[in-house]
Amino acid sequence: MLSDEENDEYQNDRTKLLSENPDEPTRKLHCEMGKFIYPHSDSEVNHADIELCEKRQPLDVNSEINKNGSLSAKVSKPSLFAAIPKRFIILLLVTLANFNMYCIRMCVNVTIVAMTHGEGKQNNNTGTHSSEEMEPEFHWDKQFQGTILASLYWSYTALQIPAGLLCVKYGASFLLGIAIFGSSVLTLVTPFIVRQNVYAFIILRIMEGGFLGLVAASGVSLISKWAPVYERSIFLMVVVSGLLWGTVFANSLSGVLAGSSWGWPSVFYFFGVQGILWYLCWLYFAYEEPSDHPNISKAELDLIGKHWNTKLTLRDIPWRYILTSIRVWAIIIPNFTDCWGFYTFMLSFPTYLKDVQNLHITTIGFASSLPYVVAGIMCPAWGYFIDVLRSKRYISTTNARKLSSFIGAGIGAIFVVAMVYASTATSAIVIVTIAITLSNLTASGPSTNLIELAPKYSGILMGVGNFVCNITGFISPEVVGAITIHGDDIRHQWAIVFYITAGVNVLGMIFYLCFASSEKQAWADH
C-alpha cells in the first residue's frame, strides 16, 4: 500500500504526464493488455527462434517512406475506440464475419421447416394470435429440400482454392467485405425470389455460397498479418468461436422468428440486415495490414512485427513446393478428418436424437445447440492457454500444435466411441457436448499451423485445406444415410457411424503427430 505522501506524488506525476501527452492513456492501456495477452518482455524473446517475426524499422507511425525515399504523412481520420489496440478490433470484426457467415449458412436449415410445414402464428379476427398451424406455403418433398440445402455448399466448396488466389490479387480486406455484403444482400431478397420461382431460389443459394466461400481464406490471411507471434492461437480460436456462436444463434433465432407472427420471411430479413450493418463497420475500421492503419501506435506495430513483404502476384505462388510438401499434407489430411466429425455431428446428430433417443422436435433444437455453446466458450480459453505455454517456453510451437491435435482428435475420439453406450438422451447430450468441444480444440493445431508454415501464402493454404474439409460435408451425410437407411436395429447402425467417425479422427491425428511442423518452410519466401 502507498503512503498518503507517495499517493499524492503519484497523482501529481500522473496528472503532469497526461497533460503533456494526451496519447498516454492509449499507450498504457495497450501495454497492460499486451501483458495479459502477450506475457513476456522483448528481452525474453529470442527472435532467432521465432519463425515469422522480424523487427520493424523505427519509422514514425504516422508516416511512411515513398518511392523517392522521402517521408509522406498518412491520411488520418477520427478514431473510434482509440484506446483499444487495433489488432483486437480487426480480430473482433473477422470473428463477427464468421458469425455472419454461419448465420446465413444455417438459418435455412430451420426456416425450411416453417416454409414447408406451415409452422407459425397468424392473426385471427379478434386481433390476437392463433397458435394453429397455417397451410404450408411450399410443397417440396424431402429430396428437393435436400437439394435446396446442398446448393449453397456446391459453390462454397468450389470457391475455397480460388479464394486464396483472389486474396493475393485483390487483398483479403476487400474480399472479406464483399463476401459478407454480397451474401447479406442475397439473403435480404430471398423471400421475394423464392416466391417467384423455386429454381431462382436455388440459383440464389449457389450465389450465396460463392460469396461465403471467400470468407475463410480472407479471414485467415488477415489474421496472419495482424496477429503477433504469441497471439496466433488465441486469435484463431476466437475466430473459430464465431462459427460456433453463429450456429447457435442462427438455429435458435430462426426458430423463434419463423414461428412468430412475422413468419419465415423475417428470418432472412433479420440476417440480411445484420450482415449489411457489419459491412458498414468493416468499411470504417478495416485495413489490409497494420502498416496501413493511420491511427495504430508504434508500440503495437513493433509488437505485431513485420512478417513478410505482402506484395505478391499469382506467378509468385510456388505450387510445386506447396503440393509436394509433407508438412502441408500433414495439415490438409487432419483438416479432412476433423471436418468429417464436425459435419457428421452438425448435420446428423439431430436425426440421431430423433431416431434413437426419441426426443421431441422442440427439445432437439436446444440439445443440438448446447455442444456449440460450450465449445464457443472453451475454444478461446484453450487458445489463450496454449499461447501462454508457448510464450513461457514450457512447450515448443510444434509440440503445442500437436498437443491440441492429440486432445481434440485423440481424446475426443474416445467420447465419440462412448456415444455407442449412451443409454439415455441426457447421457448422449453430455457425451456429445464433450466430444464436440474437444474436437474444436484442433483449431489451435492444424488450422493455426497453416499460418506458420508459409505466412505469405496462408490464404492459399487455407483455401486448399478448407476445400478438402468441405468435401466431407457431401460425403459424411451420405455415409450416415446409407448406414442408417433401414429401420431395423437402428441403435446398432448408429454405433457403426460413431466407430467410423472416431476411426477417421484418429487416423488424421496420427498422420499429424508423425509429420507436422510449425517451422517456416524454405519455399515460404519464394
Side-chain angles (χ1 to χ4, degrees), residues 421-486:
Y421 306 98
S423 57
T424 65
T426 300
S427 61
I429 293 169
V430 171
I431 293 171
V432 82
T433 297
I434 298 173
I436 289 177
T437 300
L438 290 176
S439 68
N440 278 281
L441 300 185
T442 58
S444 189
S447 297
T448 309
N449 215 166
L450 285 170
I451 296 176
E452 294 156 341
L453 287 186
K456 196 161 55 171
Y457 307 114
S458 57
I460 294 167
L461 294 180
M462 183 61 187
V464 175
N466 223 30
F467 171 79
V468 174
C469 167
N470 281 282
I471 291 176
T472 63
F474 301 105
I475 301 176
S476 172
E478 292 292 338
V479 171
V480 173
I483 294 173
T484 61
I485 193 170
H486 302 293

Side-chain angles (χ1 to χ4, degrees), residues 66-77:
N66 61 24
K67 293 181 179 180
N68 296 325
S70 60
L71 291 175
S72 60
K74 289 183 179 179
V75 179
S76 184
K77 65 181 180 181

Side-chain angles (χ1 to χ4, degrees), residues 343-369:
Y343 279 113
T344 296
F345 282 108
M346 186 179 74
L347 300 177
S348 303
F349 184 57
T351 304
Y352 164 83
L353 292 176
K354 179 66 175 176
D355 293 347
V356 178
Q357 302 299 342
N358 298 313
L359 290 186
H360 189 269
I361 186 64
T362 55
T363 308
I364 289 175
F366 169 77
S368 300
S369 297

Side-chain angles (χ1 to χ4, degrees), residues 122-360:
Q122 57 184 348
N123 293 325
N124 59 24
N125 294 332
T126 63
T128 59
H129 297 304
S130 170
S131 58
E132 297 180 359
E133 291 189 355
M134 298 178 293
E135 178 67 20
E137 188 166 350
F138 304 98
H139 299 274
W140 303 325
D141 60 30
K142 291 294 183 182
Q143 184 176 2
F144 193 71
Q145 290 180 42
T147 301
I148 292 173
L149 294 176
S151 58
L152 180 143
Y153 295 92
W154 302 338
S155 52
Y156 178 84
T157 302
L159 260 290
Q160 293 304 312
I161 295 177
L165 303 177
L166 292 172
C167 283
V168 172
K169 186 173 180 63
Y170 297 106
S173 176
F174 170 77
L175 217 60
L176 186 59
I178 290 298
I180 300 299
F181 177 74
S183 58
S184 298
V185 171
L186 292 175
T187 301
L188 198 59
V189 302
T190 293
F192 173 78
I193 296 296
V194 70
R195 281 169 170 160
Q196 302 305 310
N197 187 285
V198 65
Y199 294 102
F201 176 41
I202 292 176
I203 294 174
L204 180 144
R205 291 280 293 170
I206 294 173
M207 293 172 63
E208 276 185 347
F211 278 113
L212 294 178
L214 306 175
V215 173
S218 55
V220 167
S221 181
L222 283 169
I223 292 301
S224 68
K225 298 172 185 177
W226 280 87
V229 172
Y230 285 112
E231 293 180 15
R232 291 199 193 109
S233 294
I234 182 64
F235 267 54
L236 264 296
M237 295 302 268
V238 169
V239 168
V240 168
S241 72
L243 309 179
L244 302 174
W245 286 110
T247 300
V248 173
F249 188 70
N251 286 343
S252 303
L253 189 61
S254 295
V256 172
L257 291 176
S260 70
S261 58
W262 297 316
W264 62 264
S266 62
V267 176
F268 299 103
Y269 296 147
F270 181 90
F271 290 120
V273 171
Q274 175 183 277
I276 291 172
L277 291 176
W278 174 91
Y279 179 64
L280 296 177
C281 295
W282 184 252
L283 289 177
Y284 187 88
F285 289 107
Y287 291 88
E288 181 70 18
E289 50 186 300
S291 59
D292 294 336
H293 203 297
N295 301 117
I296 194 171
S297 67
K298 186 177 185 301
E300 187 172 10
L301 275 176
D302 290 339
L303 180 64
I304 295 172
K306 182 180 179 181
H307 298 313
W308 66 87
N309 177 13
T310 58
K311 302 298 185 270
L312 297 173
T313 65
L314 297 180
R315 299 177 62 184
D316 295 328
I317 301 171
W319 283 112
R320 181 167 64 89
Y321 293 102
I322 290 175
L323 296 178
T324 58
S325 171
I326 189 63
R327 307 303 187 190
V328 172
W329 285 102
I331 295 174
I332 292 176
I333 291 176
N335 245 17
F336 177 89
T337 58
D338 292 342
C339 286
W340 181 284
F342 175 78
Y343 279 113
T344 296
F345 282 108
M346 186 179 74
L347 300 177
S348 303
F349 184 57
T351 304
Y352 164 83
L353 292 176
K354 179 66 175 176
D355 293 347
V356 178
Q357 302 299 342
N358 298 313
L359 290 186
H360 189 269

Side-chain angles (χ1 to χ4, degrees), residues 46-54 229-230 232 307 390 396-398 449 451-453 455 517-521 525:
N46 180 3
H47 288 286
D49 294 337
I50 297 177
E51 300 93 333
L52 309 178
C53 185
E54 176 185 343
V229 172
Y230 285 112
R232 291 199 193 109
H307 298 313
R390 293 171 57 230
S396 69
T397 299
T398 296
N449 215 166
I451 296 176
E452 294 156 341
L453 287 186
S517 172
S518 289
E519 294 183 5
K520 184 179 178 182
Q521 300 301 289
D525 290 324

